[in-house]
């Protein structure tokens, strides 16, 4: 499978491919010009429709942008037989596979969207299963220019199978700037997950470098292609662990032409206007607040507001009075409680049920009331007063405020669920009088979100992607699950990288909390990003941090990619700074990762040495390639070269050794090309 360099003749294959690329770019520009020239002044009935249509046209124009450094196509397929009627968009000649569909002035496709069914064999065809593909061609680019191609003749038994050099070069290409798409390098096992249906939820367990984040993002792009109308109505959402991570991945979907997917953290989901996070819970308190038992405590607390009626209700209608006895009111209330509908929905139904009981008495007295009379009775002063007393409104924030401030109220509703010691952990040292004055923590807002859903149903989206899911508490899983009760989810994570005190112990347990117990769990074990030497070294920690979990098997062998250096002097910081300076001689991004407590010291040393650095989430450029990364923010990020400062400090910075070793495992596996580890203190036993 040789890679071909340019030839000198004008009609060589590479020249023809370049000509097709140039023609495709012209066609894309023409498609955009056609949209820009649309005149919608006389095609809409009112200004609202005109505004909606204009917004849709603007989005279409953005999606048709010709990105100079993003290849329009990256592969080509030649089938043994012409595609049949099931693929009406496929041309009879070669199929060029790219990031978006491009057609010429006659409507004939010049580039086929990678998500189209006819493109699937580009990712899955093999010598054992050629799927009617005679030739698969991959293209190599430099700065947006087509510079090479590589052919596989899948049906030719005389051609020996070999590793694609262009594929390997694309995977190893230096990382500068935010995360990019992987449409040119999707592997068969990844493609199966990407193209799985919208109706089912998927959980992807993947170690470092297996591409699970990319798989999740590309699955969103695929689902938007295959189910665009449905997801346009219901919406999609990508949830990441922090803002730095979301900034890092934010360009992947727009590069694939998908501009409408929202991104958020779990804290963003549960944020409430007027409530500010001003406190951090101790680990043991956060564990209790994140426990699924808190959902039952909150349910009890919400339902406790319902009071059984003890007095009859008298309704005056004209010159007549209608009496509903207390026992009948109690039966209505009991029926609504048995149905276990949301508190707010039941409260809205109660006045209509009471009014219906009044109408029954009117009919028995010979009157003929209609629905308008029932509505009038339900809105009457007497019924409103009864409802307010029997089923009063509940403010979720005030409810949680009372639970965390009032020992008796908490004890009444946590009885049999939480121990006395656990209840003490929940109570604030100093009660707060108002919602706005309270020093809320992030875990408190999750509790308020749960209480709010008990009162009013949370809006559900069509599809949610949850990345770095192993770090969520059961209550956080429930908060995410509420956003996709009528939709599906893609859950991404690695049990070995769980670094919170409440980290996920098993995916079955996590999926049950999410409300998706039937989700299919897929495991990715082939690594494409982290060099074999680095991942093998980091995997020495697996028996201690996640026994039984299969280590990642990297397909990339890179001799010399791992360098472990004990400090040669008493000044470890100076040696780390010099290691960063030396790494800048390499191509690509540099990440200096250290324990959070070491960051101020290293920042001062870098400035004193004249080395400019970025914070996590800031975009690397050719001029500014060094990022100083606290260990707590390293998860999900990647750098071509990593300088890792003092592993023992990273371990010691966590509440316990196991969590510390998991944090170290994360930090060890952020390197794409090389890892330099410097230490003065002894290494953890598994790495020594």
């Amino acid at each position: 499978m040789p890679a071909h360099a340019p030839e000198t003749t004008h009609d060589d294959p590479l020249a023809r491919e370049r000509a097709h690329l140039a023609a495709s770019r012209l066609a894309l520009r023409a498609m955009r010009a056609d949209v820009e020239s649309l005149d919608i002044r006389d095609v809409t009935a009112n200004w609202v429709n005109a505004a909606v249509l204009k917004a849709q046209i603007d989005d279409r124009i953005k999606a048709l942008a010709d990105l100079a450094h993003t290849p329009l196509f990256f592969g080509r397929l030649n089938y043994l037989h012409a595609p049949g009627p099931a693929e009406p968009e496929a041309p009879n000649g070669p199929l060029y596979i790219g990031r978006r569909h491009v057609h010429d002035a006659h409507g004939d496709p010049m580039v086929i969207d990678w998500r189209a069914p006819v493109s699937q064999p580009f990712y899955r065809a093999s010598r054992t299963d050629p799927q009617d593909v005679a030739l698969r061609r991959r293209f190599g680019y430099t700065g947006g220019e087509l510079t090479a191609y590589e052919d596989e003749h899948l049906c030719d038994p005389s051609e020996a199978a070999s590793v694609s050099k262009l594929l390997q070069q694309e995977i190893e290409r230096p990382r500068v700037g935010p995360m990019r798409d992987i449409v040119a390098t999707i592997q068969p096992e990844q493609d199966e997950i990407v193209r799985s249906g919208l109706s089912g939820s998927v959980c992807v367990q993947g170690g470092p470098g297996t591409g699970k984040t990319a798989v999740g993002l590309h699955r969103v792009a695929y689902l938007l292609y295959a189910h665009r109308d449905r997801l346009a109505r219901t919406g999609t959402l990508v949830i990441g662990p922090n803002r730095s991570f979301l900034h890092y991945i934010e360009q992947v979907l727009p590069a694939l032409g998908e501009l409408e997917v929202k991104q958020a953290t779990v804290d963003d989901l549960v944020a409430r206007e007027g409530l500010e996070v001003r406190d951090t819970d101790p680990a043991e308190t956060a564990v209790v607040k994140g426990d699924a038992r808190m959902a039952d405590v909150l349910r009890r607390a919400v339902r406790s507001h319902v009071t059984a009626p003890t007095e009859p209700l008298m309704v005056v209608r004209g010159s007549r009075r209608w009496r509903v006895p207390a026992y009948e009111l109690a039966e209505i209330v009991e029926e609504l409680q048995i149905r276990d509908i949301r508190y707010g929905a039941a409260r809205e139904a109660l006045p209509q049920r009471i009014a219906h009981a009044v109408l029954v008495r009117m009919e028995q007295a010979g009157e003929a009331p209609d629905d308008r009379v029932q509505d009038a009775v339900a809105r009457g002063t007497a019924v409103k007063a009864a409802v307010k007393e029997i089923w009063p409104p509940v403010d979720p924030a005030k409810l949680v405020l009372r639970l965390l401030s009032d020992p008796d109220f908490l004890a009444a509703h946590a009885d049999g669920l939480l121990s006395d010691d656990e209840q003490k952990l929940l109570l604030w040292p100093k009660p707060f009088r108002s919602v706005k004055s309270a020093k809320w923590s992030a875990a408190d807002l999750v509790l308020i979100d749960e209480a709010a859903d008990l009162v009013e149903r949370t809006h559900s989206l069509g599809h949610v992607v949850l990345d770095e899911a192993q770090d969520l508490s059961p209550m956080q899983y429930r908060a995410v699950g509420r956003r996709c009760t009528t939709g599906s989810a893609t859950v991404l994570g690695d049990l070995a990288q769980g670094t919170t005190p409440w980290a996920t112990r098993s995916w079955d347990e996590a999926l049950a909390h999410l409300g998706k117990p039937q989700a299919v769990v897929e495991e990715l074990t082939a690594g494409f990003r982290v060099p074999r030497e680095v991942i093998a070294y980091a995997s020495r920690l697996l028996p201690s941090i996640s026994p039984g979990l299969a280590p990642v098997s990297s397909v990339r062998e890179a001799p010399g990619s791992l360098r472990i250096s004990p400090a040669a002097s008493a000044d470890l910081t100076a040696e780390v700074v010099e290691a960063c300076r030396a790494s800048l001689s390499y191509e690509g991004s540099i990440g200096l990762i250290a324990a959070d407590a070491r960051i101020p010291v290293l920042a001062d040393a870098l400035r004193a040495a004249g080395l400019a650095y970025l914070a996590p989430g800031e975009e690397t450029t050719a001029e500014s390639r060094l990022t100083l990364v606290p260990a707590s923010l390293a998860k999900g990020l990647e750098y071509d070269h990593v300088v890792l400062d003092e592993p023992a400090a990273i371990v010691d910075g966590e509440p316990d050794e196991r969590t510390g070793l998991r944090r170290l495992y994360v930090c060890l596996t952020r390197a794409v090309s090389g890892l330099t580890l410097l230490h003065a203190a002894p290494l953890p036993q598994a790495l020594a």
Side-chain angles (χ1 to χ4, degrees), residues 85-109:
E87 298 291 352
E89 72 166 0
N92 292 327
L95 273 65
Y96 288 85
I97 313 301
R99 287 168 172 77
R100 69 193 70 211
H101 174 88
V102 180
H103 60 255
D104 62 18
H106 304 290
D108 295 326

Side-chain angles (χ1 to χ4, degrees), residues 232-389:
R233 295 192 305 271
T234 56
T236 52
L237 176 67
V238 174
I239 302 172
N242 53 57
R243 280 279 146 206
S244 297
F245 178 84
L246 291 178
H247 183 71
Y248 176 63
I249 67 171
E250 66 183 357
Q251 295 303 318
V252 174
L253 289 169
L256 298 173
E258 301 301 343
L259 308 172
E260 298 302 317
V261 180
K262 292 181 172 58
Q263 297 182 348
T265 64
V266 174
D267 290 345
D268 294 332
L269 294 186
V270 301
R272 298 180 73 83
E273 187 175 355
L275 300 187
E276 183 181 351
V277 174
R278 298 190 294 151
D279 197 13
T280 302
D281 290 314
E284 60 270 22
T285 300
V287 168
V288 179
K289 287 182 178 179
D291 195 291
R293 292 173 295 166
M294 289 301 301
D296 292 325
V297 174
L298 289 165
R299 178 178 292 274
R300 289 180 180 179
V302 169
R303 294 290 175 179
S304 71
H305 289 76
V306 179
T307 304
T310 57
E311 298 292 332
L313 172 66
M314 194 69 67
V315 175
V316 178
R317 181 79 180 164
S319 61
R320 305 200 62 175
R321 296 158 62 89
W322 308 97
R323 181 176 180 276
V324 181
Y327 78 85
E328 189 169 347
L329 292 174
E331 289 174 355
I332 294 173
V333 171
E334 184 180 6
E335 180 195 354
L336 288 173
Q337 288 181 308
I338 291 173
R339 288 183 60 192
D340 199 29
I341 59 178
R342 280 174 170 76
Y343 187 92
R347 188 173 188 275
E348 290 178 0
L350 180 57
Q352 289 290 336
R353 297 296 179 87
I354 295 174
H356 178 73
V358 173
L359 258 67
V360 169
R361 282 161 174 74
M362 290 181 176
E363 291 170 347
Q364 290 172 344
E367 296 190 14
D370 56 18
D371 291 344
R372 289 174 297 178
V373 174
Q374 180 169 326
D375 289 340
V377 172
R379 293 194 302 268
T381 303
V383 173
K384 281 185 176 181
V387 170
K388 185 176 181 179
E389 184 174 341

Side-chain angles (χ1 to χ4, degrees), residues 476-500:
Q476 288 175 316
Y477 277 116
R478 290 176 62 87
V480 174
R482 286 192 283 277
R483 272 73 186 179
C484 55
T485 50
T486 59
S488 55
T490 301
V491 180
L492 313 166
D494 179 13
L495 297 178
Q497 295 187 58
T499 52
T500 56

Side-chain angles (χ1 to χ4, degrees), residues 114-117 119-120 123-124 191-197 222:
W114 67 276
R115 297 167 288 188
S119 302
Q120 182 173 310
Y123 300 106
R124 299 200 193 177
D191 190 64
E192 288 185 17
I193 299 171
V194 167
R195 296 177 192 266
S196 54
Y222 171 77

Side-chain angles (χ1 to χ4, degrees), residues 274-281 428 430 432 434-445:
L275 300 187
E276 183 181 351
V277 174
R278 298 190 294 151
D279 197 13
T280 302
D281 290 314
W428 282 324
K430 182 189 80 170
F432 296 98
S434 71
V435 167
K436 289 192 175 181
S437 67
K439 294 180 68 174
W440 299 106
S441 69
D444 294 335
L445 297 195

Side-chain angles (χ1 to χ4, degrees), residues 531-534 556-563 671-676:
R532 185 178 303 170
E533 293 76 10
V534 174
R556 294 180 53 217
E557 188 171 357
S561 57
L562 175 64
R563 177 171 168 258
V672 175
S673 297
L675 169 66
T676 299

